[in-house]
Amino acid sequence: MTALASSPGARDSGSSASTAAPTDLEIARAATLRPIEEIAERAGIPADALELYGRYKAKIDVARLPDADHRGHVVLVSAISPTPAGEGKSTLTVGLADALSRAGKRTMIAIREPSLGPILGMKGGATGGGRSQVLPMEDINLHFTGDFHAITAANNALCALIDNHVFQGNALQIDPRRVTFKRVMDMNDRSLRDIVIGLGGPTQGVPREAGFDITVASEVMAVFCLASSVEDLKERLGRITFGYTYDRRPLTVADLGAAGVMAMLLKDAIKPNLVQTIAGTPALVHGGPFANIAHGCNSALATTTARRLADIVVTEAGFGADLGAEKFMDIKARYADVAPSAVVLVATVRALKMHGGVPKDGLAAPDAAAVERGFANLARHLENIRKFGLEPVVAVNRFGTDTPEELDAVVRLCGSAGARVAVADVWGRGGGGDGGDDLAREVLAALEEPGTYRPLYPLEMSVEEKIATVVREVYRGAGVEFSEQARRTLAQIHENGWDRLPVCMAKTQYSFSDNPALLGAPEGFTVHVRELWPRTGAGFIVAVTGTLMTMPGLPKVPAAMRMDLDDDGQVVGLF
Amino acid sequence: MTALASSPGARDSGSSASTAAPTDLEIARAATLRPIEEIAERAGIPADALELYGRYKAKIDVARLPDADHRGHVVLVSAISPTPAGEGKSTLTVGLADALSRAGKRTMIAIREPSLGPILGMKGGATGGGRSQVLPMEDINLHFTGDFHAITAANNALCALIDNHVFQGNALQIDPRRVTFKRVMDMNDRSLRDIVIGLGGPTQGVPREAGFDITVASEVMAVFCLASSVEDLKERLGRITFGYTYDRRPLTVADLGAAGVMAMLLKDAIKPNLVQTIAGTPALVHGGPFANIAHGCNSALATTTARRLADIVVTEAGFGADLGAEKFMDIKARYADVAPSAVVLVATVRALKMHGGVPKDGLAAPDAAAVERGFANLARHLENIRKFGLEPVVAVNRFGTDTPEELDAVVRLCGSAGARVAVADVWGRGGGGDGGDDLAREVLAALEEPGTYRPLYPLEMSVEEKIATVVREVYRGAGVEFSEQARRTLAQIHENGWDRLPVCMAKTQYSFSDNPALLGAPEGFTVHVRELWPRTGAGFIVAVTGTLMTMPGLPKVPAAMRMDLDDDGQVVGLF
């Protein structure tokens, strides 16, 4: 257990600093990067498996790795139901890995690539923060090695082929009103959400309603992140249902013959990207599907590659554990050899106070009683993790404003719940410093007795039953209500033989329920499934609750407006 | 002068082979590539100026090049009015450079990057063909180093910021009906030509008519290719006119404050890309604007960088000399230090026969008389090159079907016209073999007495006069007719002070006139200027004649359908 002395410098979140403190970009610039060949060598990656992208990034040709049977432990970092600012899960992931490296363990990170759209909008990047970042953050947060661009191109090549097929005689009898597959762009561009295309007369195409999603919402992204090999990638691409015929038969990419060209466009993207943390820990940053309409973790290939190379792989799943961890267990761990040995649940005093009923503008004031009330949220996540056969370790991501009484309350309550817990200051002191030592110790202790992963439900259950099981066992709702439209899709799912796919819940991350205002540990609520989206390529059925944004918009003053390139070619204003 | 013996193996064009001959992809695969560090070292590029992208591609940090005053000769490769199959200009460019290297000259190539859209559609790549290719052709023809993706992102970030500005209160009073700047995608996708965006109600944006162009048609691409530095890039981006206010005042990117973020998104793209030919000649492949609505050459930075490193830079301009060479002289050479010392005009027996009146399906039959008749086209291009103060060298790109009589006719007529000429077989034998030796000898002789470049018209002329001068002096038309709409834009150009910009003619490449069926050396025709597009960032006024496609479509059976990735991750079916 860590000492509870207050750390210097208040800050707002795991990814932004007060005006006095240096920015993430400043901290990142001050770090000394090692040549990526050196990082690779220490990670056991042979030189001929390395494809350099500049000095500090490389793609790994997995086929050239030594063919070892080695499988390191997977430590999954998840979180309690988050506040809108986030609980610093990426920062904790990076910091924990640095602390494990510092403890002498052969450790590797596997996390998602950031999406450009939100970066130009308002969100911070996904490269951690403070002293726990992956570098070079400017590159990773901008085009990186071009993976998202390749995924965008593969997605949009399919769309161009679909509309061209309709235009050129429509042998497949594609119903233009029932093309479900959308174009994508890695941009926050609300005016592309609902559009009409093919206007201008008979030589310009066939008019139809359409729209763009952001690239991270593409099914190609989900496929990319679940594929275990080039062969599997092509098969999954071929299984994508892009629309329906006039007589409502589903049409796949294989029917159109487009899986080959799509896979070709992904030939380099599919290779995991190697970078390093500030402390020099190797990190695979690869893939990044949405955490609502997809499963929200880095590519399966990155995680399995990291397992081959390291003894401990620290990885992350999006949103709180009711979403991210559940999908990791019920989707990713079914399709890839990535079952976790331990789960870290990130909590903050601030979020616990919010779950304890404190309004947003009162979170700065000390309130240990609110922390105790809010613990109900964390307690439920702890119980849920155990349902997957795994023991959780709580990581309290420490902020300068946390009081010793508040931190004591969390630690004490975790103890009562029988959970390991540590307070970590990986943002301020770094996991490469001593900010993550206590957490590393607890994680290592947990790995002494690794859990035995089991999924929540068998695939043989019907889709309705699977959704009902997640709602009952994880969310603790009273029941599920399917809209008329969702019921119709359920019938279609059954008819098309898609019943055996796992479900991917698209729900607000702020509450166990589908109402973002219902904080803490609510009960007795009903979850409303508005739509079901079969994602037959990725291999899951998305259950959409509430309203869902698959193409974000820009705020009144976008972050982009402060970004610049100085005359020396240096980035300005990125975080 | 070369011997006229027939070379083995008939073929159809400079970029595709008969079924018996190996494909470009097969020839490329059989070549042994040297590590790009080795190519760089021989080219005089210090190791610390090199940013590797895999083993065989690198970006050059121009700021780290030795600050020499060295300026190599520029040899511009252009062509006669082409056939739809093209005359093999890129192949000739690569082969000539290889032959010059073979002759012991320190040579470098500067050419355009290929666009993905046409590659998935029907066109060959822009990496040359046969034994005269730049490698690795799979990578260069697919995502390469991500430059086009970065340009796409910068273009579309601007579009998202424009529509967001309108949505968030529209302080600039942007008239949504007069936004002239379009979104882009590097795809042949006809159904995105004319679209309506912002549908779905008040929270989804402001509905307006819009459209996508292909990325190579973006003004950001033109700006990128004319910028001389990061500073100049930002200034040019800031000068882009994206639309007009309700009271018709022009609005620039600088007014919106978006030049900084756009430049930031181009921070790596702006660095020239180094690759190698099959024979090991260093090549900078960088940028690739359309040759109709833009100037159609590689980036100015690539050409000036190559001049600093080599004694001879072989570069290329799109389409025939009436378009590509004229724009090189009147646009690119005004903005960048790239004035040519010599111009190579590529001709084929096949194209000359077409200009001599032979229909397309009769081109295979020997017809020396038709070659003589068609020479009128080449003769006029020869005269035109001299108007820019330069002496042309004719390169006959030899095909297996050419007869000695036909080749003799071309050589004889060039002699009568006082022009240097050589027959080259760089496709079949390679410039690294002896296929370009004669051509190299003629070019070196021409460089003994380099010409003195002069533009065709002074910038002080009005836009009308500039267009009239090009039509009179280069096309030899009787006059120009401006549409009502073009006349209105002329008034606006004058009002906004854009009169001093050079003109960029968007005309069919198949004829000197604006009628693609008028082959040979027509006279007495009128050129019809339908629209004028001010490109204030790139720095030219596009004069649109005839109909123009800025977003191509896919054919009935797109080339994409035969492309694939095998289980070893190797590309299949790309050419």
Side-chain angles (χ1 to χ4, degrees), chain A residues 318-371:
Chain A
F319 294 159
D322 53 330
L323 289 162
E326 186 271 316
K327 292 177 188 181
F328 192 97
M329 309 295 182
D330 283 321
I331 300 172
K332 185 171 174 176
R334 285 190 208 260
Y335 287 129
D337 184 14
V338 298
S341 300
V343 175
V344 171
L345 275 178
V346 180
T348 58
V349 163
R350 191 188 148 93
L352 289 169
K353 283 194 278 194
M354 219 182 61
H355 286 296
V358 178
K360 202 182 160 192
D361 54 6
L363 290 174
D367 190 345
V371 169

Side-chain angles (χ1 to χ4, degrees), chain B residues 460-481:
Chain B
E460 292 68 33
M461 269 188 178
S462 71
V463 168
E464 296 96 306
E465 286 177 295
K466 285 170 192 156
I467 295 171
T469 303
V470 174
V471 169
R472 187 182 63 241
E473 299 291 326
V474 177
Y475 307 164
R476 320 292 175 91
V480 188
E481 200 173 278

Side-chain angles (χ1 to χ4, degrees), chain A residues 323 464 467-468 470-472 475-487 490 504-508 511-516 518 523-533 542-548:
Chain A
L323 289 162
E464 297 96 305
I467 294 171
V470 174
V471 169
R472 186 181 64 241
Y475 306 163
R476 320 292 176 87
V480 188
E481 201 173 278
F482 291 90
S483 73
E484 194 48 40
Q485 191 183 344
R487 293 229 157 267
L490 277 175
C504 179
M505 301 297 294
K507 177 183 74 68
T508 175
S511 169
F512 279 107
S513 76
D514 59 2
N515 171 7
L518 220 52
E523 282 179 353
F525 56 84
T526 299
V527 170
H528 306 83
V529 175
R530 199 165 49 79
E531 294 180 32
L532 292 166
W533 299 350
V542 181
V544 179
T545 73
T547 53
L548 199 66

Side-chain angles (χ1 to χ4, degrees), chain B residues 58-102:
Chain B
K59 281 197 165 280
I60 299 174
D61 187 348
V62 177
R64 288 171 190 263
L65 290 182
D67 197 9
D69 291 327
H70 182 78
R71 292 286 177 279
H73 283 299
V74 172
V75 175
L76 176 68
V77 176
S78 191
I80 64 169
S81 305
T83 65
E87 308 322 304
K89 213 161 48 216
S90 300
T91 305
L92 223 300
T93 301
V94 173
L96 169 59
D98 283 343
L100 289 166
S101 293
R102 185 171 133 93

Side-chain angles (χ1 to χ4, degrees), chain A residues 52 54 143 164 168 265 556, chain B residues 52 54 143 168 190 265 556:
Chain A
L52 301 183
H143 310 286
N164 188 58
Q168 303 278 8
L265 289 169
K556 193 165 173 68
Chain B
L52 302 183
H143 309 287
Q168 302 279 7
R190 74 168 64 70
L265 289 168
K556 192 164 175 72

Side-chain angles (χ1 to χ4, degrees), chain A residues 37 47-55 57 61 64 116 120 138-139 142-144 146 149-154 156-157 159-161 163-164 167-170 183-185 187-200 203-206 212 230-231 233-234 256-268 270 549 553-558 560-561 563-574, chain B residues 37 47-55 57 61 64 116 120 138-139 142-144 146 149-154 156-157 159-161 163-164 167-170 183-185 187-200 203-206 212 230-231 233-234 256-268 270 549 553-558 560-561 563-574:
Chain A
E37 296 97 322
D48 74 339
L50 219 55
E51 297 175 8
L52 301 183
Y53 279 66
R55 291 166 218 288
K57 301 165 283 181
D61 187 347
R64 288 170 190 263
L116 186 59
L120 300 187
E138 300 101 304
D139 292 10
L142 295 178
H143 310 286
F144 199 21
H149 292 314
I151 289 166
T152 303
N156 294 344
C159 295
L161 289 169
D163 280 303
N164 188 58
F167 177 80
Q168 303 278 8
N170 205 3
R183 286 172 177 80
V184 297
M185 192 186 277
M187 202 57 72
N188 284 14
D189 194 347
R190 75 167 65 69
S191 38
L192 294 181
R193 280 175 198 156
D194 293 294
I195 67 178
V196 173
I197 64 172
L199 299 172
T203 61
Q204 314 289 339
V206 177
F212 277 72
V230 165
E231 205 180 337
L233 175 72
K234 262 165 62 179
L256 193 66
V261 65
M262 292 172 74
M264 183 192 73
L265 289 169
L266 297 171
K267 81 177 174 76
D268 293 315
I270 197 69
M549 189 77 83
L554 289 169
K556 193 165 173 68
V557 182
M561 304 316 279
M563 296 176 187
D564 203 353
L565 191 65
D566 68 20
D567 292 346
D568 298 328
Q570 289 283 309
V571 168
V572 178
L574 185 67
Chain B
E37 296 96 322
D48 75 339
L50 219 56
E51 297 174 8
L52 302 183
Y53 279 66
R55 289 166 219 287
K57 301 164 281 179
D61 187 348
R64 288 171 190 263
L116 186 58
L120 300 187
E138 301 100 304
D139 292 11
L142 295 178
H143 309 287
F144 200 21
H149 292 315
I151 289 166
T152 303
N156 293 344
C159 295
L161 290 168
D163 280 302
N164 188 58
F167 177 80
Q168 302 279 7
N170 204 4
R183 286 171 177 80
V184 297
M185 192 185 276
M187 202 58 72
N188 284 13
D189 194 347
R190 74 168 64 70
S191 39
L192 294 181
R193 280 176 197 155
D194 293 293
I195 66 177
V196 173
I197 63 171
L199 299 173
T203 61
Q204 314 290 339
V206 177
F212 278 72
V230 166
E231 205 180 338
L233 175 72
K234 263 165 62 177
L256 192 66
V261 66
M262 292 172 75
M264 182 192 73
L265 289 168
L266 297 172
K267 81 178 175 77
D268 294 315
I270 196 69
M549 190 77 83
L554 289 169
K556 192 164 175 72
V557 182
M561 303 318 278
M563 296 178 188
D564 202 353
L565 191 66
D566 68 21
D567 291 347
D568 297 328
Q570 289 283 308
V571 168
V572 177
L574 184 67

Side-chain angles (χ1 to χ4, degrees), chain A residues 23 43 54 81 99 119 129 147 152 159 197 240 266 269 273 292 336 354 456 482 535 549:
Chain A
T23 66
S81 305
I119 288 168
D147 296 345
T152 303
C159 295
I197 64 172
I240 290 175
L266 297 171
N273 305 299
N292 49 20
M354 219 182 61
L456 191 69
F482 291 90
R535 293 289 179 256
M549 189 77 83

Side-chain angles (χ1 to χ4, degrees), chain B residues 13 81 112 176 209 227 249 290 292 323 325 393 405 423 431 448 455 471 514 523 565:
Chain B
S13 83
S81 305
R112 283 179 289 174
E209 290 185 57
R249 278 179 299 107
F290 250 8
N292 50 19
L323 289 162
V393 178
E405 293 71 28
V423 178
E448 293 288 318
V471 169
D514 58 2
E523 282 179 354
L565 191 66

